[in-house]
Every structure is written in structure tokens, then in C-alpha cells.
Amino acid sequence: MSLPLQGRTVVLTRAQEQQGEGRRLMEALGASVIDLPALVIGPPDEWGPLDDALAELDEFHWLVFSSANGVNAVEERLQRQGGSLSGRPSSLRLAAVGRKTAARLEGLGAEADFVPPNFVADSLIEHFPISGWGLRLLIPRVQSGGRTLLAEAFGEAGARVVEVAAYESRCPESIPNDAAAALEAGEVAALTFSSGKTVIHTAQLLEARFGSQWLTRLDTAKVVSIGPQTSKRCLELLGRVDQEADPHDIPGLVQACVQALDSTKQTGS
């Protein structure tokens, strides 16, 4: 019995620094995986606002993380100040959007006090364990391109929110040759996206490599998205989404890829 992705080439868009759980899971299902780094994670333009906020952690009730990148940045800056997330003030509680974010906190000895049932920001707001009224929240986030939904929603609920840039995700200089060659040859069965920015940057990289007709390079590939906001960006820039992950995490993205390609088999396309 063949594996569900046997003989299929899948391109994974991801952060340049992040080796992937997605690759391991895809390969275990038989896929030939090509990485397409679409994000370079680095520091924000200035550390001052984050450092100032972290110096006053005892004045916050909650520290809310929407990504593992935010966790890493905060831990690094706290250590520079002689502290750590595991040694945070006892009154400060931690919230994490997503399994990966929660796992990173746990790995630092700072287990999240709250993780929403669905791995999207909207779910965190909907299921937050207490009223936001009167709370003071610190939300570290990507410098540009991220959603301000959390800050806006908590602000409307009566919380005092401090939102600061903790990192920036920039576009790499070029697309790897193996990914470009596979797309040019029409060998890619599926292209997966794990964030809205990976969609934006992939479009930029493809246009730089292939010119104005870059979108035709995706004609043979299924477009697979990790969640609603990523799907929205796919529709805007790529014109379609063939499958969306549920749950909105890496294992869900892998399963969505299987489903998208299984439908291809069934229709004979």
C-alpha cells in the first residue's frame, strides 16, 4: 500500500531559520519536499519599546504571545536584563496562540496559563478566561504586517494594552534554485503556506525570478493554507485556496495537503 504523498513533490514555504516539523511529517507520508524560505526572522528596527515594557513586567497582568518568534525575542531581551520568562513576576500570567507557541514557552520552563482551543487569535479573544476590564496586557508582535486584532479587541473590552515590536520578518533575497526549477518544470503538486507573510514574500520572490507571468508557475500546484488569514492572502495574491488546514497548525497543514492531493487523484486531474 503506497503512502498518501508517495511520488508527490511538495514545496514548503517557511522561515529561513526554522527547520521543519512540516518537512518531517511530509516525508513520513512519502512526499519529496523542497524548502522555499520565504521569511527571514530578525530584530525590529529598535529594541527600546520592548526593553522598556519588559523592565516593567510586574505592572502587567498578562503577557500574550501569538508566535514562537515573539517568545524567543522576549526571552532573549529578558536575559539581557538579567531575567527570564521562567523567572517572571508571580502575578504575570502567560497566554499563547497555538501549539508551537505554547510548546516553546514550556521548553523555557514558562508554561502558558491559557491556550485557546483553536490556534488563531480570534479564538484567544473569544475564550479568554476572564474579563479584560481593567487588565494591563503586554503583546509582543511582529514589527510589520501582523494583525492588530488582539490589541483592538482587548482595548474594546476595557483592557490597557501595550503592543510592541519584538521581531521583524523580512523577505529573503532570492528563491532557491531547486524550488524555482521544480516550479518551472511543473513538477510541484502542492505549495503550502504557514502565514500571510509567506504568501506575500513568495509572490515577490516568484515575480523577481519569473517576471510578470510568475503566477502561471503555480498552475499545476495545489495551494494549501494553514488558516483563515493566510487563506485570505492567498486569495488576494494567488487567486485561490485549494485546501485550508483544520486545526490551524503544522500537522493540520500536512493533512490538508494530503486532502488536496487526494482530491486530485479522485478527479484524475
Side-chain angles (χ1 to χ4, degrees):
M1 186 177 186
S2 64
L3 295 168
L5 295 178
Q6 193 72 43
R8 300 301 190 104
T9 297
V10 178
V11 170
L12 299 182
T13 66
R14 58 171 180 81
Q16 198 166 58
E17 297 80 3
Q18 292 168 346
Q19 298 304 314
E21 179 189 10
R23 168 181 275 276
R24 178 178 59 80
L25 294 173
M26 292 282 193
E27 289 179 339
L29 295 176
S32 173
V33 177
I34 298 175
D35 285 322
L36 197 168
L39 296 174
V40 179
I41 305 300
D45 291 342
E46 56 178 332
W47 286 114
L50 178 61
D51 287 344
D52 290 347
L54 295 179
E56 301 176 347
L57 269 188
D58 57 350
E59 297 183 17
F60 291 95
H61 299 98
W62 284 84
L63 179 52
V64 181
F65 291 105
S66 58
S67 75
N69 292 320
V71 175
N72 292 336
V74 167
E75 178 69 9
E76 177 189 336
R77 301 310 292 182
L78 281 174
Q79 289 193 4
R80 285 175 176 268
Q81 295 181 6
S84 66
L85 281 167
S86 62
R88 68 190 182 280
S90 58
S91 58
L92 180 67
R93 304 182 73 187
L94 304 179
V97 177
R99 212 177 268 149
K100 185 177 177 182
T101 308
R104 183 65 187 121
L105 285 169
E106 187 175 354
L108 293 172
E111 189 170 350
D113 297 288
F114 174 64
V115 182
N118 298 312
F119 308 132
V120 289
D122 311 61
S123 182
L124 183 140
I125 295 164
E126 181 181 352
H127 296 278
F128 203 67
I130 58 175
S131 166
W133 185 260
L135 295 181
R136 193 159 190 243
L137 278 68
L138 176 59
I139 303 179
R141 60 176 295 240
V142 67
Q143 178 175 292
S144 67
R147 299 173 74 201
T148 58
L149 173 70
L150 285 175
E152 291 171 358
F154 280 120
E156 289 173 3
R160 293 170 293 160
V161 180
V162 175
E163 194 175 30
V164 290
Y167 64 97
E168 178 62 308
S169 53
R170 299 175 173 87
C171 188
E173 292 184 0
S174 62
I175 184 173
N177 288 331
D178 58 346
L183 287 165
E184 190 167 19
E187 297 170 353
V188 177
L191 193 66
T192 68
F193 295 99
S194 56
S195 72
K197 265 201 175 179
T198 62
V199 182
I200 295 169
H201 291 170
T202 296
Q204 292 173 0
L205 291 167
L206 291 177
E207 184 173 14
R209 182 64 176 255
F210 297 117
S212 61
Q213 299 302 307
W214 64 270
L215 195 54
T216 63
R217 303 299 179 186
L218 306 185
D219 285 349
T220 62
K222 294 292 186 181
V223 174
V224 184
S225 154
I226 201 168
Q229 295 306 311
T230 305
S231 293
K232 181 180 178 182
R233 197 64 71 184
C234 287
L235 288 169
E236 290 173 357
L237 296 178
L238 310 180
R240 62 188 165 96
V241 179
D242 298 298
Q243 199 77 36
E244 181 179 295
D246 185 12
H248 310 307
D249 58 10
I250 296 300
L253 184 65
V254 172
Q255 188 54 41
C257 190
V258 171
Q259 292 168 348
L261 295 181
D262 186 56
S263 68
T264 301
K265 287 180 184 178
Q266 290 174 6
T267 58
S269 58

